[in-house]
Amino acid sequence: MSTPPLPPGSYRPATDRWGSFSKLAARLPEGSLAVVDRTVARLHPGLVPALEARRPRAIVQITGGERAKNFASLEKVLTGGLALPRSGTLVVIGGGTLGDVATVAAHLLKRGVRLVQVPTTLLAAVDSSLGGKGAVDLLARGRVVKNPVGVFHYADEAWICPEFFASLSDAQHREGAIEAWKMVACLDARLFRKYTRQPPPLDRLVKDARRLKESICAQDPYEQSGLRRVLNFGHSFGHVLESLSRFKLSHGDAVGLGMRCALDVGRRLGVTPEPVALQVEQALEQGPGVLGRDRIAALVQRASLKDVVTLLAADKKAGKSGELRMVLLTGIGAFDIRDVSEAEWRQLWPAWKKGIRP
């Protein structure tokens, strides 16, 4: 008997293909749906012609960025894919926000179509294009809540095209590197020591990060065992800071600041040894270049504690009794998952408002 095909969006081991986009585009089945970041298409004039050569059913262009992660963008993609058969392919060429929208669309179109991820930012390459998660933001009570509506829909392939990274700014390189170093600090002590001695070249950074994330997703593909929560290190307070900035703070930079907060919480609770917290924080400053604590202060000074409590309560990583479920380091390459009460993290609020290390 032949093995039945996997249901659409099911876990699939990562299949990465490296090369130029023009060559990899020849793999795209004719009649596919392409979702393209408008800015990327402008910076890389050969992109759209390479897609058009495959006679797509539609090419949907959307300007990427957090503001694109909404139901209006999702509807635009779904409309573009109305004629796509269930056996069709959706290819998304863009950063993490566009990849999120396209992942949700791929899950919904015809109850699931084939997905190909082509990350054009370093952040998307090391993180969001791998792992099957897609989500859109929701406006609630006057504030944007990040990622409350989402799906798991694993890509069949990812195309890693280094040409796209050449047009990235220093800030975009930094936020991608932050996510990569996050995984190394949590999961691989040997690699962390190696990185602190000599930061890796770009291709090595991407390959290491994708390997580490894939190793976690393979064991916990749908976040059921709890292991995959390690990938949320720095995200709880990172998402809060991102929301408080009204998304002027990039996701990668927000995670970097959120890691500072998580190290503070770990130290306060006696989970993260002081030398470990200091070593990781210094490595994040000297390696990817995490932003300073003054940025935390600038954001929390304009917010009330009530605002922060509301944002944390909406966080899908909250514990059963309302506590904040956080990833805390117990050592380099080692971690624990703890439920942190409001009373515990509020002790750090005065220091965060002043921009100092508690």
PDB file of all heavy atoms in Angstrom, residues 104-118:
ATOM      1  N   VAL A 104      -1.587  31.939   6.734  1.00  0.00           N
ATOM      2  CA  VAL A 104      -3.012  31.829   7.083  1.00  0.00           C
ATOM      3  C   VAL A 104      -3.839  31.603   5.824  1.00  0.00           C
ATOM      4  O   VAL A 104      -4.739  30.751   5.788  1.00  0.00           O
ATOM      5  CB  VAL A 104      -3.494  33.083   7.839  1.00  0.00           C
ATOM      6  CG1 VAL A 104      -4.992  32.996   8.130  1.00  0.00           C
ATOM      7  CG2 VAL A 104      -2.722  33.256   9.148  1.00  0.00           C
ATOM      8  N   ALA A 105      -3.529  32.352   4.770  1.00  0.00           N
ATOM      9  CA  ALA A 105      -4.271  32.211   3.513  1.00  0.00           C
ATOM     10  C   ALA A 105      -4.108  30.813   2.926  1.00  0.00           C
ATOM     11  O   ALA A 105      -5.080  30.213   2.443  1.00  0.00           O
ATOM     12  CB  ALA A 105      -3.808  33.268   2.518  1.00  0.00           C
ATOM     13  N   ALA A 106      -2.886  30.268   2.947  1.00  0.00           N
ATOM     14  CA  ALA A 106      -2.645  28.936   2.404  1.00  0.00           C
ATOM     15  C   ALA A 106      -3.450  27.880   3.165  1.00  0.00           C
ATOM     16  O   ALA A 106      -3.893  26.888   2.591  1.00  0.00           O
ATOM     17  CB  ALA A 106      -1.154  28.606   2.455  1.00  0.00           C
ATOM     18  N   HIS A 107      -3.632  28.097   4.449  1.00  0.00           N
ATOM     19  CA  HIS A 107      -4.399  27.159   5.268  1.00  0.00           C
ATOM     20  C   HIS A 107      -5.891  27.223   4.932  1.00  0.00           C
ATOM     21  O   HIS A 107      -6.595  26.205   4.966  1.00  0.00           O
ATOM     22  CB  HIS A 107      -4.174  27.491   6.743  1.00  0.00           C
ATOM     23  CG  HIS A 107      -4.692  26.438   7.685  1.00  0.00           C
ATOM     24  ND1 HIS A 107      -4.072  25.226   7.858  1.00  0.00           N
ATOM     25  CD2 HIS A 107      -5.771  26.415   8.498  1.00  0.00           C
ATOM     26  CE1 HIS A 107      -4.729  24.511   8.756  1.00  0.00           C
ATOM     27  NE2 HIS A 107      -5.774  25.211   9.150  1.00  0.00           N
ATOM     28  N   LEU A 108      -6.377  28.422   4.604  1.00  0.00           N
ATOM     29  CA  LEU A 108      -7.807  28.624   4.389  1.00  0.00           C
ATOM     30  C   LEU A 108      -8.232  28.345   2.953  1.00  0.00           C
ATOM     31  O   LEU A 108      -9.349  27.869   2.717  1.00  0.00           O
ATOM     32  CB  LEU A 108      -8.189  30.057   4.769  1.00  0.00           C
ATOM     33  CG  LEU A 108      -7.993  30.454   6.240  1.00  0.00           C
ATOM     34  CD1 LEU A 108      -8.353  31.917   6.434  1.00  0.00           C
ATOM     35  CD2 LEU A 108      -8.831  29.578   7.154  1.00  0.00           C
ATOM     36  N   LEU A 109      -7.388  28.673   1.987  1.00  0.00           N
ATOM     37  CA  LEU A 109      -7.761  28.490   0.590  1.00  0.00           C
ATOM     38  C   LEU A 109      -8.021  27.017   0.282  1.00  0.00           C
ATOM     39  O   LEU A 109      -7.140  26.170   0.473  1.00  0.00           O
ATOM     40  CB  LEU A 109      -6.645  29.016  -0.320  1.00  0.00           C
ATOM     41  CG  LEU A 109      -6.649  30.526  -0.603  1.00  0.00           C
ATOM     42  CD1 LEU A 109      -5.350  30.938  -1.284  1.00  0.00           C
ATOM     43  CD2 LEU A 109      -7.851  30.911  -1.463  1.00  0.00           C
ATOM     44  N   LYS A 110      -9.209  26.721  -0.173  1.00  0.00           N
ATOM     45  CA  LYS A 110      -9.593  25.353  -0.537  1.00  0.00           C
ATOM     46  C   LYS A 110      -9.284  24.348   0.583  1.00  0.00           C
ATOM     47  O   LYS A 110      -8.960  23.205   0.335  1.00  0.00           O
ATOM     48  CB  LYS A 110      -8.902  24.935  -1.850  1.00  0.00           C
ATOM     49  CG  LYS A 110      -9.069  25.950  -2.973  1.00  0.00           C
ATOM     50  CD  LYS A 110     -10.540  26.245  -3.273  1.00  0.00           C
ATOM     51  CE  LYS A 110     -10.742  27.483  -4.110  1.00  0.00           C
ATOM     52  NZ  LYS A 110     -10.284  27.340  -5.492  1.00  0.00           N
ATOM     53  N   ARG A 111      -9.348  24.837   1.808  1.00  0.00           N
ATOM     54  CA  ARG A 111      -9.048  24.056   3.021  1.00  0.00           C
ATOM     55  C   ARG A 111      -7.602  23.563   3.048  1.00  0.00           C
ATOM     56  O   ARG A 111      -7.295  22.538   3.674  1.00  0.00           O
ATOM     57  CB  ARG A 111     -10.018  22.882   3.174  1.00  0.00           C
ATOM     58  CG  ARG A 111     -11.464  23.327   3.351  1.00  0.00           C
ATOM     59  CD  ARG A 111     -12.370  22.147   3.663  1.00  0.00           C
ATOM     60  NE  ARG A 111     -13.731  22.600   3.903  1.00  0.00           N
ATOM     61  CZ  ARG A 111     -14.661  22.715   2.941  1.00  0.00           C
ATOM     62  NH1 ARG A 111     -14.346  22.406   1.686  1.00  0.00           N
ATOM     63  NH2 ARG A 111     -15.868  23.132   3.223  1.00  0.00           N
ATOM     64  N   GLY A 112      -6.741  24.281   2.368  1.00  0.00           N
ATOM     65  CA  GLY A 112      -5.325  23.974   2.475  1.00  0.00           C
ATOM     66  C   GLY A 112      -4.652  23.726   1.152  1.00  0.00           C
ATOM     67  O   GLY A 112      -4.977  22.769   0.454  1.00  0.00           O
ATOM     68  N   VAL A 113      -3.724  24.623   0.768  1.00  0.00           N
ATOM     69  CA  VAL A 113      -2.951  24.447  -0.452  1.00  0.00           C
ATOM     70  C   VAL A 113      -1.468  24.398  -0.105  1.00  0.00           C
ATOM     71  O   VAL A 113      -1.051  24.716   1.008  1.00  0.00           O
ATOM     72  CB  VAL A 113      -3.215  25.597  -1.459  1.00  0.00           C
ATOM     73  CG1 VAL A 113      -4.671  25.615  -1.895  1.00  0.00           C
ATOM     74  CG2 VAL A 113      -2.802  26.954  -0.881  1.00  0.00           C
ATOM     75  N   ARG A 114      -0.676  24.005  -1.073  1.00  0.00           N
ATOM     76  CA  ARG A 114       0.770  23.878  -0.900  1.00  0.00           C
ATOM     77  C   ARG A 114       1.386  25.276  -0.706  1.00  0.00           C
ATOM     78  O   ARG A 114       1.004  26.228  -1.384  1.00  0.00           O
ATOM     79  CB  ARG A 114       1.356  23.200  -2.135  1.00  0.00           C
ATOM     80  CG  ARG A 114       2.829  22.907  -2.105  1.00  0.00           C
ATOM     81  CD  ARG A 114       3.221  22.060  -3.312  1.00  0.00           C
ATOM     82  NE  ARG A 114       4.650  21.778  -3.325  1.00  0.00           N
ATOM     83  CZ  ARG A 114       5.545  22.540  -3.934  1.00  0.00           C
ATOM     84  NH1 ARG A 114       5.159  23.618  -4.601  1.00  0.00           N
ATOM     85  NH2 ARG A 114       6.826  22.222  -3.907  1.00  0.00           N
ATOM     86  N   LEU A 115       2.355  25.373   0.201  1.00  0.00           N
ATOM     87  CA  LEU A 115       2.976  26.656   0.529  1.00  0.00           C
ATOM     88  C   LEU A 115       4.480  26.590   0.304  1.00  0.00           C
ATOM     89  O   LEU A 115       5.141  25.631   0.719  1.00  0.00           O
ATOM     90  CB  LEU A 115       2.691  27.013   1.991  1.00  0.00           C
ATOM     91  CG  LEU A 115       3.344  28.282   2.543  1.00  0.00           C
ATOM     92  CD1 LEU A 115       2.821  29.535   1.826  1.00  0.00           C
ATOM     93  CD2 LEU A 115       3.098  28.407   4.052  1.00  0.00           C
ATOM     94  N   VAL A 116       5.017  27.628  -0.357  1.00  0.00           N
ATOM     95  CA  VAL A 116       6.458  27.801  -0.520  1.00  0.00           C
ATOM     96  C   VAL A 116       6.833  29.150   0.081  1.00  0.00           C
ATOM     97  O   VAL A 116       6.268  30.178  -0.298  1.00  0.00           O
ATOM     98  CB  VAL A 116       6.885  27.746  -2.002  1.00  0.00           C
ATOM     99  CG1 VAL A 116       8.384  28.055  -2.140  1.00  0.00           C
ATOM    100  CG2 VAL A 116       6.575  26.377  -2.603  1.00  0.00           C
ATOM    101  N   GLN A 117       7.755  29.150   1.020  1.00  0.00           N
ATOM    102  CA  GLN A 117       8.218  30.374   1.678  1.00  0.00           C
ATOM    103  C   GLN A 117       9.519  30.846   1.037  1.00  0.00           C
ATOM    104  O   GLN A 117      10.465  30.062   0.896  1.00  0.00           O
ATOM    105  CB  GLN A 117       8.469  30.113   3.162  1.00  0.00           C
ATOM    106  CG  GLN A 117       7.209  29.886   3.986  1.00  0.00           C
ATOM    107  CD  GLN A 117       6.709  31.177   4.640  1.00  0.00           C
ATOM    108  OE1 GLN A 117       7.203  32.272   4.363  1.00  0.00           O
ATOM    109  NE2 GLN A 117       5.733  31.040   5.508  1.00  0.00           N
ATOM    110  N   VAL A 118       9.564  32.116   0.669  1.00  0.00           N
ATOM    111  CA  VAL A 118      10.792  32.731   0.159  1.00  0.00           C
ATOM    112  C   VAL A 118      11.087  33.955   1.028  1.00  0.00           C
ATOM    113  O   VAL A 118      10.623  35.064   0.741  1.00  0.00           O
ATOM    114  CB  VAL A 118      10.663  33.139  -1.322  1.00  0.00           C
ATOM    115  CG1 VAL A 118      12.025  33.602  -1.857  1.00  0.00           C
ATOM    116  CG2 VAL A 118      10.125  31.993  -2.174  1.00  0.00           C
TER     117      VAL A 118
END
